[in-house]
Amino acid sequence: MNFSWRDGNQLRLLENGDQFFPRVSAAIQRAERTLLLETFILFEDDVGNALHADLLAAAQRGVKVEVMVDGYGSPDLSDHFVNRLTEAGVRFLYYDPRPLVLGMRTNVFRRLHRKIVVVDDTLAFVGGINFSDEHNTTYGAQAKQDYAVEVTGPVVLDIARYVQQAMGSEQVTRRWWGGRSQRVAVNAMPGDAQVLFVYRDNDEHRDDIEQHYLDMLRKAKHDVIIANAYFFPGYRLLREMRNAAQRGVRVRLIVQGEPDMPIVKVGAEMLYNYLVDAGVEVYEYCRRPLHGKIAVQDQHWATVGSSNLDPLSLSLNLEANLIVHDRAFNQTLRDNLEALIQRDCERVNDEKLPPRTWWHLTKSVMVFHFLRHFPAIAGWLPAHTPLLSQVEPPVQPEMETQDRVEPDNEGAKP
């Protein structure tokens, strides 16, 4: 499924759960016909329970509600929580739920990492914010810094169509000749209010999001800011960042300085010398864990979504980003990032750079290649094909259900 740039959209940047959750709640409460929701994490905390109440009320007033959560990211939802929704007619699916093996979860690869909400095919939310308390700033020191986009306009129909096919509620039309990743969709007539929906799967669109980042860096003329929570990309993206900096583009990278997982900082630090030596400005966000996956280029281009620039997101996870071409949105996101740099970041200077020794270089090269390629190698190992599991209601409503549905955006091979 290929999408094109859509004109005539309206966009709103949402920062953290403080802005995101009230907007989503209000949209669900206004829903009249359909509601689609995909998320990696849904917890039974204050945020999850509030969402549960909104979904339940929408289903009870006749809205067709479909929800899909990831089996790895949301493994502990209670039967009571889910059954109340299915009793009301909500179609509730788990993406690849797997039992524990020796106390360990085995579905760490090929995760549903998207965060999408679509209401009545007219309003959508796309970003990196999960449904959990930790995305509200009131959560405390470990509250996550993150972003989403609220969008209305023609691109919403593309998002809705994709989610319906991903959930198996709409038939996928596949080309008989197959294929792998597609060419970057070109914006033939750049202007404003233009949006492209881009996704990554394990079938025909394995590197579409990465390709848009590469294209953006190659075309940058003045300025690029990338803020990414889990930054450990492949050589191509690192090379394009260096190339852009060396031809005079101001390239700034914001990574986690106070990570939620220490290994994240260890991986990013291995790349510092390579980037800084070429003129890339690297900043560590130190106020709290950074969870955003955003970027801006020059005066028009921007992206917000769920895709990190790390091996899992670029090689295995199911991801979705919006690519935006709009001066006002670019400026809003740029102002936010500039404020983060000035207020909450520390620049990586010579004192913060790892030692330049042969041992450190050798270790970095070995670890880089192992971490960069391990998820991709794991994805090709013999393994189950991820399935969708639909939860049947305790009391079956008058609707057709399927016990198990083969996901439409996953091929026989990972």
Side-chain angles (χ1 to χ4, degrees), residues 198-211:
V198 184
Y199 61 95
R200 202 214 79 83
D201 61 20
N202 290 308
D203 191 5
E204 295 185 356
H205 298 267
R206 300 189 182 191
D207 62 355
D208 289 24
I209 295 174
E210 183 179 16
Q211 288 295 335

Side-chain angles (χ1 to χ4, degrees), residues 340-353:
L340 252 61
I341 292 173
Q342 294 298 321
R343 185 183 64 234
D344 302 316
C345 290
E346 294 182 5
R347 184 170 178 178
V348 176
N349 53 29
D350 288 340
E351 295 179 359
K352 283 181 167 287
L353 289 174

Side-chain angles (χ1 to χ4, degrees), residues 107-321:
N107 48 357
V108 62
F109 300 118
R110 308 188 192 108
R111 300 176 297 180
L112 170 73
H113 198 242
R114 299 187 295 259
K115 296 89 175 175
I116 300 176
V117 181
V118 186
V119 178
D120 290 338
D121 293 346
T122 60
L123 171 66
F125 299 86
V126 178
I129 301 176
N130 291 296
F131 288 93
S132 64
D133 284 347
E134 60 191 356
H135 285 273
N136 282 322
T137 54
T138 54
Y139 186 76
Q142 292 302 304
K144 298 181 184 298
Q145 178 69 22
D146 211 341
Y147 301 86
V149 177
E150 176 183 334
V151 59
T152 59
V155 74
V156 176
L157 288 176
D158 291 341
I159 301 169
R161 180 186 170 202
Y162 175 75
V163 175
Q164 287 167 348
Q165 293 191 3
M167 290 183 174
S169 53
E170 180 179 310
Q171 187 63 37
V172 176
T173 301
R174 299 183 64 88
R175 301 171 306 180
W176 64 269
W177 61 86
R180 282 287 295 276
S181 76
Q182 311 296 308
R183 297 174 61 184
V184 171
V186 176
N187 189 357
M189 299 182 65
D192 286 319
Q194 298 172 323
V195 184
L196 175 69
F197 178 68
V198 184
Y199 61 95
R200 202 214 79 83
D201 61 20
N202 290 308
D203 191 5
E204 295 185 356
H205 298 267
R206 300 189 182 191
D207 62 355
D208 289 24
I209 295 174
E210 183 179 16
Q211 288 295 335
H212 277 277
Y213 268 95
L214 294 171
D215 185 65
M216 174 272 289
L217 287 164
R218 291 172 187 139
K219 293 178 178 178
K221 296 180 179 179
H222 306 291
D223 178 70
V224 170
I225 307 176
I226 297 173
N228 207 266
Y230 304 101
F231 183 81
F232 204 82
Y235 177 69
R236 291 188 302 172
L237 199 144
L238 294 170
R239 180 186 61 200
E240 293 301 338
M241 290 178 67
R242 281 174 54 99
N243 289 346
Q246 289 174 336
R247 67 173 185 268
V249 176
R250 187 182 186 190
V251 180
R252 286 175 284 178
L253 170 67
I254 305 173
V255 295
Q256 294 199 58
E258 298 292 335
D260 49 357
M261 294 185 291
I263 189 64
V264 172
K265 190 172 181 179
V266 173
E269 286 178 342
M270 293 179 182
L271 309 176
Y272 284 177
N273 283 321
Y274 181 77
L275 293 172
V276 171
D277 286 349
V280 175
E281 300 176 27
V282 179
Y283 296 86
E284 293 182 342
Y285 176 73
C286 298
R287 187 173 184 178
R288 54 178 178 263
L290 175 67
H291 198 255
K293 308 96 167 58
I294 55 180
V296 293
Q297 174 233 52
D298 296 341
Q299 284 75 47
H300 288 77
W301 190 97
T303 188
V304 179
S306 68
S307 181
N308 292 298
L309 297 175
D310 73 343
L312 282 175
S313 282
L314 298 177
S315 300
L316 292 170
N317 287 347
L318 308 185
E319 307 282 4
N321 275 42

Side-chain angles (χ1 to χ4, degrees), residues 57-76:
Q60 288 173 339
R61 67 175 183 267
V63 177
K64 181 182 179 183
V65 180
E66 298 182 84
V67 176
M68 183 160 66
V69 302
D70 184 68
Y72 179 87
S74 306
D76 299 320

Side-chain angles (χ1 to χ4, degrees), residues 92-97 387-391 402-405:
F92 194 98
L93 303 103
Y94 283 100
Y95 180 84
D96 200 34
L387 297 173
L388 307 187
S389 178
Q390 182 169 323
V391 179
Q402 290 177 292
D403 290 334
R404 298 193 69 81
V405 182

Side-chain angles (χ1 to χ4, degrees), residues 35-84:
L35 173 62
L36 305 168
L37 187 149
E38 288 186 323
T39 187
F40 177 58
I41 289 175
L42 172 58
F43 287 160
E44 285 185 64
D45 53 19
D46 288 345
V47 167
N49 289 326
L51 175 66
H52 184 276
D54 287 336
L55 296 174
L56 188 62
Q60 288 173 339
R61 67 175 183 267
V63 177
K64 181 182 179 183
V65 180
E66 298 182 84
V67 176
M68 183 160 66
V69 302
D70 184 68
Y72 179 87
S74 306
D76 299 320
L77 294 176
S78 69
D79 291 342
H80 177 73
F81 184 93
V82 176
N83 289 343
R84 288 194 66 201

